[in-house]
């Protein structure tokens, strides 16, 4: 009898094992589908049932980074509110959640992440680089927020590119003007020897060329002064 019960127990486990695995796989697929569809309610429900907010998609990207990159704002909000969230989880490009929030102009997410101690001044490409190159209507406000949070205005990327260089090439004009107004150095060069003026010229942005040229002139000593 004991041997029969043992055999039955083993058979039960053998059957239940694949079922449990399938259930977990289904939840995983549902989780990332909910991010894609920006279904915050579904994300919250899965999190309440114990799903890991730090799960990574099949490409190894953290769920929150995916949500912010796709601008799935309801999904991102649900994840940011999750217990146990690791806000500094990065993808293969070393992009953080705050960087993607900055790029998309997602001010509520950026503010919430900063409160959760997201790194405003991470090494390499920074949230300010991403904010400066953003094209949303909240790009300027995002740059202002990061500067208020002590983002280093002349942060150098791995190749020496500054936020001002990114702004004059890719961002709205008011972002570059804000950076200049707040003291960004227009004379700095990246590893290729290019300045913000070169970036503006390459982008064929006459207004940015003039902005940077004026900023450079203001930094030069006046003629005749000793």
């Amino acid at each position: 009898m004991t041997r029969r019960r043992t055999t039955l127990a083993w058979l039960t486990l053998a059957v239940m094992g694949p079922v449990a695995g399938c259930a977990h796989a289904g939840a995983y697929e549902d989780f990332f589908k909910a991010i894609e569809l920006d279904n915050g309610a579904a994300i919250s429900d899965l999190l309440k049932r114990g799903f890991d907010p730090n799960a990574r998609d099949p490409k190894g990207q953290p769920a929150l980074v995916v949500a912010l990159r796709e601008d799935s704002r309801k999904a991102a909000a649900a994840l940011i509110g999750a217990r146990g969230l690791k806000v500094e989880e990065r993808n293969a490009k070393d992009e953080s959640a705050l960087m993607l929030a900055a790029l998309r102009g997602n001010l509520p997410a950026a503010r919430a992440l900063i409160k959760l101690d997201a790194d405003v001044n991470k090494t390499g490409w920074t949230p300010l680089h991403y904010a400066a190159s953003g094209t949303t209507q909240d790009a300027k406000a995002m740059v202002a927020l990061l500067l208020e949070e002590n983002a280093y205005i002349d942060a150098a990327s791995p190749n020496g590119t500054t936020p001002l260089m990114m702004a004059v090439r890719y961002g709205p004009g008011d972002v570059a003007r804000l950076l200049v107004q707040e003291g960004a150095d227009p004379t700095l060069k990246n590893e290729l020897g290019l300045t913000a003026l070169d970036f503006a010229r390459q982008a064929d942005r006459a207004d940015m060329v003039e902005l940077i040229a004026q900023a450079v002139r203001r930094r030069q000593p006046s003629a005749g002064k000793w």
Side-chain angles (χ1 to χ4, degrees), residues 54-98:
N54 304 301
R56 291 175 176 260
D57 73 2
K59 295 181 181 178
Q61 300 185 100
L64 181 56
V65 169
V66 174
L68 290 166
R69 185 198 65 210
E70 299 300 322
D71 208 21
S72 295
R73 298 199 172 199
K74 295 175 184 176
L79 289 166
I80 290 171
R83 186 175 301 175
L85 178 70
K86 298 176 182 177
V87 297
E88 281 302 313
E89 292 288 283
R90 314 268 177 83
N91 64 13
K93 296 180 180 179
D94 197 40
E95 292 173 323
S96 68
L98 183 55

Side-chain angles (χ1 to χ4, degrees), residues 97-147:
L98 183 55
M99 291 170 72
L100 274 300
L103 181 66
R104 299 302 185 198
N106 190 335
L107 288 165
R111 292 190 186 102
L113 288 167
I114 290 169
K115 285 184 179 179
L116 291 172
D117 293 325
D119 193 351
V120 174
N121 286 308
K122 66 178 283 294
T123 57
W125 293 99
T126 69
L128 188 58
H129 283 101
Y130 275 43
S133 58
T135 57
T136 70
Q137 62 180 6
D138 289 321
K140 181 181 177 182
M142 181 64 72
V143 168
L145 171 65
L146 294 172
L147 293 177

Side-chain angles (χ1 to χ4, degrees), residues 1 11 57 173 176 206:
M1 180 66 73
L11 287 171
D57 73 2

